Amino acid sequence: MDSTTQLTIHRTGTTVPARTSGSPAPPGSHEITHSGAYVYDPDRPAGSLHLRAARVLEGNWTGTSTVPSHGLYPHQWSWDSAFIAIGLRHLSPLRAQTELETLLGAQWGDGRIPHIVFNPSVPLDAYFPSPDFWRSSTAGRAAGAPRTVQTSGIVQPPVHALAAWLVHQADPGLSRSRSFLSRMYPRLAAWHRYLLHRRDLGGGGLASVVHPWEQGMDNSPCWDAPLSRVTPAAPRSFRRADLDHGSAEDRPTDLDYGRYVRLATDYRDGGYADGAGEFAVEDPAFNALLIASEHALAAIAQELGAAGTARHARAERLTAALVERLWDPAEGMFFCRDVYGGDGRGGEAYGGDARDEGESGALGSERRSPESGAHGSESGAHGSERGSRSGALAPERHSAESGAHASEQRSRQSGAHASEQRSRQSGAHASEQRSRAGALIPERSVAGLLPLILPALPRDIAATLVRTAGGPHFGLGGVARLAPSYDLTGHAFDPHRYWRGPAWFNTNWLLERGLRLHGEHGRAEELRAALLETADTSGFAEYVDPYTGEACGALGFSWTAALTLDLLHEPARADQADRADRADQSTHVVSHPGHRAFDKAQGTPPHTSHASHASHTPHTPHTPHSSFETGAKGGDRG
């Protein structure tokens, strides 16, 4: 950022004028300088948590995106950018939109959003696996990898539609003037199609991850059993750059890292075709975020003039499939399912723990066959979605909705569909020869609590998850300051080792939203306060000791700062959404005035008000389906 760039952080409705580094500060304002830039907030004292969080995001901004941290993670990461955009929307909706646009600009032709978009100015030896390992433009050619941007070939959790919708809500006038949602929708729809079709490796309607780095909780004990089938790469065949920035005691072991490299190598050498590897896991957090984003896509479709009902219906069917496949009533939480695990019958979990037998019939009429009902109804959802779109959009929105529909048709009838067929049939083990039901993995991870973010989760399951979160395994509101990433009583628990016990801000932010969504406002407020205090005292750490809040990993971590900003804005969120809804009913909606100075300093042309678009931008008010709609990392990462 140059010396004229500023972040305008605003609550009262008064615009702070842009200025250069040589001009005096406006009377009564406070400032923090960082690399020649200024951050203002007339309402908060210098050094406040709000301003320090803004300074972290400013320092990690590259001009088109935000790195998680300059040292350990010097590129753009997929789900990091989604969480970062959620926080950035409170500082500059324009920058938040740019964050997501940069990421989706590297999307592959088959719909996948890669988990890393590499910065060509960063030396190859600064991070491993580097672009020359992934070879996306060549190894990923059949899958439609971009030729001009280097990326990884795996994915990360699908938070992106949710982030896009929240960013739009922060400044609807700016969003509409830039056609933000109409440009994002086809890409986000293609991303969801990829996950729902190409990644349904278990046949039960849920998406599978094919590498631990894809789920985001890279080193979780949940992966130990599935990874045991993988022959590790030779230790001398790669160099771990992560150990240059952290203690080996806090990082994955060399053995685990060798298995990560082997999985990624085999996936690359197979042309990034899905279904041929030895690792496929249905994760509750990954799928819960997909469902939450499907609800968000429905809201986006409504904003663009479509009904959105088919997407909401699909999200509810996916919620039922999540319960069917991954819920364990005896243990009171969701578990990962190893699609290729078990004894071949799919009826037993690891170690003879017959969780699936315990599940059988436990939920009565809510149960559906994973081989027929859930999967079959999902395919029906696509037909329903197509019907609901037909003729529903104004001509100007044809490229956003009808284009996405046409893209779906092409992908099913051309190379993408053929590639899917090949990926399911290639390799030594065809999918028909494997246990499609698989087996639940008996490791308690915070991922098993995150379906709390889902609005259609049955009430009794939500109540049970709240009890489990506060029980001995996670200690939330009791012995633990923040919810740990792994069972406090588990055999592999380590309060400092990567994803094997430390607490992370993004997972706790999601838990806070889930608690609030299901009426646990007191617990949510306690967790919010703990998150803010820990972010403050830890220096916006990447992750922390769940008991003490001691900082671990990188400091000045972007998603920690971004989600801190979101929590700080939380008390006014419902009022803001209510004001936006009232304003949308009028013929004139303009951007939040406090954002204009930043946009001007960025050199962005002033955007027009909603009045200039009212004649051709239909807006359909919708009933919120989740707390996200009302507005109410880390790691090896590959």
Side-chain angles (χ1 to χ4, degrees):
M1 298 174 64
D2 62 35
S3 61
T4 64
T5 302
Q6 66 180 9
L7 297 176
T8 301
I9 308 163
H10 182 77
R11 284 193 309 185
T12 64
T14 303
T15 302
V16 180
R19 71 181 182 93
T20 65
S21 59
S23 60
S29 69
H30 303 278
E31 63 178 277
I32 292 177
T33 61
H34 184 71
S35 301
Y38 290 84
V39 180
Y40 296 94
D41 184 356
D43 299 325
R44 296 179 178 86
S48 69
L49 182 62
H50 192 285
L51 291 179
R52 286 186 285 119
R55 185 171 60 184
V56 168
L57 295 180
E58 179 189 5
N60 289 339
W61 175 249
T62 68
T64 56
S65 64
T66 309
V67 298
S69 69
H70 278 291
L72 185 53
Y73 309 116
H75 303 285
Q76 183 179 25
W77 262 261
S78 173
W79 75 327
D80 289 73
S81 279
F83 287 120
I84 290 165
I86 290 171
L88 273 176
R89 69 193 172 115
H90 301 296
L91 302 179
S92 168
L94 176 61
R95 183 182 289 188
Q97 291 177 29
T98 302
E99 184 81 36
L100 295 174
E101 290 164 353
T102 300
L103 177 68
L104 269 68
Q107 186 174 24
W108 290 28
D110 64 2
R112 80 181 76 193
I113 298 175
H115 96 299
I116 301 176
V117 180
F118 289 107
N119 183 344
S121 67
V122 174
L124 289 178
D125 61 357
Y127 190 85
F128 178 85
S130 52
D132 57 342
F133 172 88
W134 294 104
R135 305 171 198 164
S136 61
S137 60
T138 55
R141 186 175 301 158
R147 296 183 178 181
T148 58
V149 180
Q150 293 298 312
T151 76
S152 64
I154 59 176
V155 303
Q156 277 192 322
V159 200
H160 311 89
L162 173 61
W165 178 240
L166 293 179
V167 167
H168 163 79
Q169 287 184 309
D171 194 334
L174 173 67
S175 176
R176 291 167 187 150
S177 72
R178 300 185 68 246
S179 301
F180 172 66
L181 290 183
S182 62
R183 288 184 290 109
M184 291 295 101
Y185 183 88
R187 291 182 176 274
L188 294 168
W191 167 223
H192 284 210
R193 284 195 302 274
Y194 168 78
L195 293 173
L196 291 170
H197 295 288
R198 300 286 297 276
R199 288 299 188 90
D200 182 12
L201 302 180
L206 300 182
S208 293
V209 296
V210 299
H211 195 290
W213 289 338
E214 291 197 313
Q215 191 266 0
M217 304 178 192
D218 310 358
N219 194 40
S220 171
C222 295
W223 318 134
D224 291 353
L227 280 175
S228 67
R229 298 191 294 267
V230 178
T231 302
R236 295 185 178 181
S237 64
F238 59 91
R239 188 190 76 82
R240 295 182 58 177
D242 64 312
L243 296 182
D244 297 339
H245 302 274
S247 169
E249 288 75 21
D250 294 343
R251 306 295 298 174
T253 65
D254 286 341
L255 178 62
D256 284 335
Y257 212 95
R259 287 174 169 142
Y260 303 153
V261 172
R262 172 65 67 188
L263 277 176
T265 301
D266 290 348
Y267 193 40
R268 177 199 68 199
D269 293 347
Y272 296 110
D274 297 310
E278 291 300 316
F279 185 99
V281 174
E282 294 171 354
D283 173 76
F286 190 99
N287 281 279
L289 289 169
L290 174 59
I291 295 167
S293 280
E294 191 70 16
H295 280 302
L297 265 186
I300 293 172
Q302 287 179 294
E303 165 67 23
L304 297 176
T309 53
R311 288 202 175 275
H312 280 310
R314 176 186 295 168
E316 291 175 359
R317 282 192 293 272
L318 288 171
T319 301
L322 184 74
V323 172
E324 168 69 30
R325 298 280 288 178
L326 306 183
W327 173 247
D328 186 333
E331 298 294 339
M333 66 180 299
F334 291 85
F335 287 85
C336 295
R337 181 175 292 275
D338 182 359
V339 173
Y340 302 150
D343 62 354
R345 297 189 304 273
E348 297 180 6
Y350 291 103
D353 182 5
R355 281 201 172 93
D356 283 2
E357 294 177 6
E359 287 183 309
S360 178
L363 298 177
S365 61
E366 293 180 357
R367 292 293 191 185
R368 291 184 300 174
S369 166
E371 289 297 326
S372 56
H375 189 59
S377 62
E378 180 60 30
S379 62
H382 298 292
S384 176
E385 179 186 5
R386 289 193 292 271
S388 70
R389 290 181 184 173
S390 177
L393 296 173
E396 290 81 358
R397 297 300 180 188
H398 180 76
S399 62
E401 287 282 327
S402 301
H405 168 61
S407 174
E408 179 176 358
Q409 294 290 347
R410 287 193 299 270
S411 69
R412 289 183 177 181
Q413 297 170 4
S414 61
H417 179 67
S419 176
E420 178 180 1
Q421 295 299 320
R422 289 193 300 271
S423 69
R424 290 181 178 271
Q425 297 171 4
S426 62
H429 304 282
S431 58
E432 291 79 2
Q433 297 173 317
R434 286 173 164 164
S435 169
R436 293 174 67 84
L440 293 182
I441 301 171
E443 299 287 1
R444 296 179 181 87
S445 161
V446 69
L449 304 178
L450 295 189
L452 265 177
I453 66 174
L454 301 179
L457 197 66
R459 184 175 301 177
D460 59 330
I461 291 180
T464 301
L465 283 176
V466 172
R467 290 194 297 270
T468 300
H473 298 294
F474 295 95
L476 189 61
V479 297
R481 178 177 294 192
L482 300 176
S485 52
Y486 176 68
D487 184 358
L488 295 170
T489 69
H491 67 96
F493 175 78
D494 184 327
H496 290 173
R497 191 179 285 276
Y498 207 68
W499 287 111
R500 300 179 85 85
W504 293 74
F505 287 84
N506 65 329
T507 56
N508 278 270
W509 179 85
L510 289 166
L511 279 177
E512 193 268 354
R513 292 303 185 275
L515 290 168
R516 201 173 297 278
L517 171 64
H518 290 284
E520 297 287 341
H521 298 289
R523 294 176 189 268
E525 189 56 38
E526 290 178 4
L527 180 53
R528 175 179 175 270
L531 278 163
L532 291 174
E533 179 186 4
T534 305
D536 189 8
T537 58
S538 71
F540 303 103
E542 181 182 4
Y543 53 98
V544 298
D545 184 307
Y547 291 118
T548 68
E550 176 188 351
C552 302
L555 301 182
F557 201 71
S558 288
W559 78 22
T560 304
L563 298 178
T564 295
L565 285 170
D566 192 63
L567 291 169
L568 287 170
H569 281 257
E570 181 176 278
R573 180 173 297 148
D575 292 340
Q576 178 183 358
D578 182 59
R579 288 195 302 271
D581 287 342
R582 290 199 302 268
D584 278 348
Q585 295 172 9
S586 70
T587 60
H588 184 74
V589 175
V590 297
S591 298
H592 195 296
H595 301 141
R596 285 209 183 107
F598 175 86
D599 297 344
K600 180 178 179 181
Q602 287 288 86
T604 303
H607 56 273
T608 58
S609 72
H610 179 54
S612 64
H613 294 265
S615 62
H616 59 79
T617 306
H619 173 74
T620 305
H622 71 281
T623 301
H625 280 67
S626 74
S627 59
F628 294 108
E629 288 187 52
T630 61
K633 172 158 185 301
D636 305 302
R637 301 172 175 237

